[in-house]
Amino acid sequence: MKSVRLEHVTKAFGEVTGVEDIDIHIRSGEFFTFLGPSGCGKTTTLRMIAGFYFPTKGKIYFDDRDVTHVKANKRNIGMVFQNYALFPHMTVFENIAFGLEVRKLPKKTIKEKVERAQKLVHLEGYGSRKITELSGGQQQRVALARALVIEPDILLLDEPLSNLDAKLREETRVEIKRLQVELGITTIYVTHDQHEAMSLSDRIMVMNKGKIQQVGTPQEIYNRPANRFVASFIGESNIMEATVLEVGDDRVTVEVEDGLILQGWRKNASPNLTFSKGKKIFLSIRPEVIEPGEGPNSFQGTVQFTEFSGVSINYLVKTAKHEWKVMVINTGSAIPSIGDRITLHIPENGIYFVEDER
Ligand SMILES: Nc1ncnc2c1ncn2[C@@H]1O[C@H](COP(=O)(O)OP(=O)(O)OP(=O)(O)O)[C@@H](O)[C@H]1O
Ligand SMILES: [Mg+2]
């Protein structure tokens, strides 16, 4: 298994910048995800690692080998494209065998390897089926087997679940993770779906507008977002502008637009944020940290909407300038009605200070 290092990689398409200054080190055996909205540069970055695009600036290494300008077929990578790119007129066996035929391996070896790959993705006995005779999930697994059969050093997956319905998506996600753990293969996964990214990844690179926003474990990205973009893109959050009133050794006091004064821990801040009196900053407050009743940082609001999900109750609570998303774990107690005035509070630890997006 190989590590992948991108050193200050930039890709320009004429005037358009695809990605800018991508600097990451993906460890050997790691499950690493590129996450971000449409057009943020995920596929561009993946294609440079695959060797289908070459960087305008910067270098790419597999372990210590400089592959910046090495062609795709000389990199030993397995890739699953978003639309699978299977050959519809060929059988499952022929599709999986394709990469091995190109390498001119003996027939017997090809047969053994293809059968092993079929087994890996639970498609034993499907060898003679045509691609058109398979379900979406089965086609997805053929694409995966075709990428794995060449025993790649690195597996690249570009939105591999996007064509599947919710249930198959779930099943295939578990399957991909199982395979990755079993084979220990360095895997780079592209998605715009934060749930998929969180549940699969060892680490995630969050991207926006061609730039890295944050690299970290799912917990780091969720609990300690580097900026406003990450805080709003990952999970639900109440993001609001605030003015710094007081900066203490441990605590910071701010005023949000409503005139509401809140106090939080200074350490609960994105790494590059500095505080000074009068400065405008942003707060990120997760719906699940807000608690009913009196307590620190308490405020009153009017219930606009309630939704009972079984495990939790989700509310929208209106104050003068904001609509607060609140999530309370269901304990069986009465649920307030729409129009009720309720008191809520935010434990100090639930306030996270973030800088504006880059
Ligand atoms: N071949 C190309 N020529 C010109 N511009 C391109 C080319 N490929 C990508 N771009 C531009 O580079 C930027 C990044 O595109 P990219 O395909 O990497 O986004 P993405 O994150 O994969 O988006 P999606 O989630 O929609 O697949 C976009 O602005 C896109 O228009
Ligand atoms: Mg893409």
Side-chain angles (χ1 to χ4, degrees):
M1 298 312 123
K2 295 247 188 311
S3 66
V4 177
R5 194 149 46 90
L6 275 70
E7 267 184 11
H8 302 289
V9 168
T10 291
K11 176 69 184 174
F13 302 101
E15 296 285 287
V16 180
T17 305
V19 294
E20 201 180 325
D21 200 26
I22 302 294
D23 201 65
I24 44 171
H25 185 180
I26 298 162
R27 300 175 195 124
S28 168
E30 192 168 27
F31 197 116
F32 194 95
T33 298
F34 299 166
L35 173 67
S38 185
C40 73
K42 305 180 295 292
T43 298
T44 302
T45 311
L46 200 71
R47 289 180 82 89
M48 286 191 283
I49 296 170
F52 297 122
Y53 288 163
F54 298 117
T56 315
K57 267 193 261 173
K59 296 229 173 264
I60 299 176
Y61 296 90
F62 291 176
D63 286 345
D64 290 329
R65 178 183 172 215
D66 182 347
V67 296
T68 313
H69 296 288
V70 174
K71 288 207 180 105
N73 60 0
K74 297 277 184 281
R75 293 195 187 195
N76 201 34
I77 45 112
M79 180 143 174
V80 174
F81 296 87
Q82 181 166 354
N83 54 4
Y84 313 153
L86 296 170
F87 308 113
H89 55 284
M90 292 180 3
T91 64
V92 168
F93 186 96
E94 288 162 349
N95 265 278
I96 299 174
F98 187 78
L100 304 174
E101 303 275 2
V102 171
R103 286 161 201 227
K104 302 205 174 5
L105 295 185
K107 282 266 174 289
K108 185 161 167 284
T109 315
I110 293 181
K111 186 158 182 292
E112 280 166 15
K113 283 183 188 281
V114 171
E115 280 172 2
R116 206 179 318 140
Q118 272 177 255
K119 204 164 160 200
L120 215 50
V121 298
H122 301 313
L123 281 178
E124 301 104 315
Y126 280 81
S128 55
R129 286 260 199 123
K130 289 245 176 57
I131 295 303
T132 47
E133 296 164 357
L134 299 178
S135 73
Q138 289 164 338
Q139 291 183 25
Q140 204 282 337
R141 283 184 273 151
V142 175
L144 203 54
R146 190 177 60 175
L148 290 170
V149 78
I150 60 164
E151 290 161 35
D153 294 320
I154 299 152
L155 182 62
L156 306 177
L157 306 167
D158 195 350
E159 308 242 10
L161 307 184
S162 55
N163 296 339
L164 307 181
D165 67 36
K167 185 154 179 297
L168 260 181
R169 191 177 262 255
E170 176 83 34
E171 279 173 24
T172 318
R173 191 175 72 197
V174 173
E175 196 76 345
I176 287 177
K177 186 67 187 175
R178 179 187 67 79
L179 271 175
Q180 197 268 340
V181 170
E182 203 172 298
L183 304 174
I185 190 167
T186 309
T187 301
I188 306 176
Y189 189 93
V190 165
T191 183
H192 59 263
D193 181 330
Q194 43 133 344
H195 292 294
E196 225 167 87
M198 303 273 265
S199 59
L200 283 169
S201 316
D202 294 319
R203 283 190 306 153
I204 299 171
M205 167 168 76
V206 183
M207 304 174 75
N208 191 32
K209 297 181 186 157
K211 291 195 188 129
I212 299 183
Q213 302 297 311
Q214 187 169 7
V215 177
T217 63
Q219 292 95 313
E220 281 164 355
I221 280 173
Y222 189 86
N223 293 332
R224 308 192 65 79
N227 59 35
R228 179 153 79 112
F229 175 81
V230 179
S232 58
F233 192 73
I234 311 292
E236 291 275 342
S237 198
N238 295 287
I239 310 263
M240 49 193 73
E241 202 177 8
T243 309
V244 177
L245 294 182
E246 234 180 275
V247 188
D249 288 341
D250 296 329
R251 288 180 171 83
V252 175
T253 311
V254 299
E255 181 176 353
V256 297
E257 284 168 284
D258 281 354
L260 180 63
I261 293 173
L262 301 174
Q263 199 172 56
W265 292 104
R266 190 173 169 167
K267 64 177 169 55
N268 285 346
S270 53
N272 297 324
L273 186 68
T274 53
F275 294 103
S276 57
K277 212 168 163 171
K279 186 177 173 180
K280 297 250 187 251
I281 58 169
F282 287 87
L283 307 183
S284 167
I285 300 164
R286 299 286 186 194
E288 67 268 24
V289 305
I290 302 176
E291 294 177 6
E294 287 290 346
N297 297 314
S298 67
F299 61 98
Q300 283 208 326
T302 308
V303 176
Q304 298 285 44
F305 173 80
T306 65
E307 179 191 64
F308 181 71
S309 81
V311 176
S312 65
I313 304 132
N314 302 312
Y315 300 94
L316 277 181
V317 177
K318 181 111 178 65
T319 55
K321 291 262 172 61
H322 292 288
E323 244 179 15
W324 297 73
K325 289 174 259 183
V326 181
M327 192 192 98
V328 180
I329 294 295
N330 175 28
T331 54
S333 35
I335 301 173
S337 312
I338 291 171
D340 282 0
R341 289 287 286 174
I342 59 168
T343 303
L344 298 167
H345 71 275
I346 312 164
E348 281 182 319
N349 215 12
I351 295 178
Y352 198 77
F353 302 104
V354 288
E355 64 173 327
D356 208 349
E357 48 202 284
R358 280 169 217 176

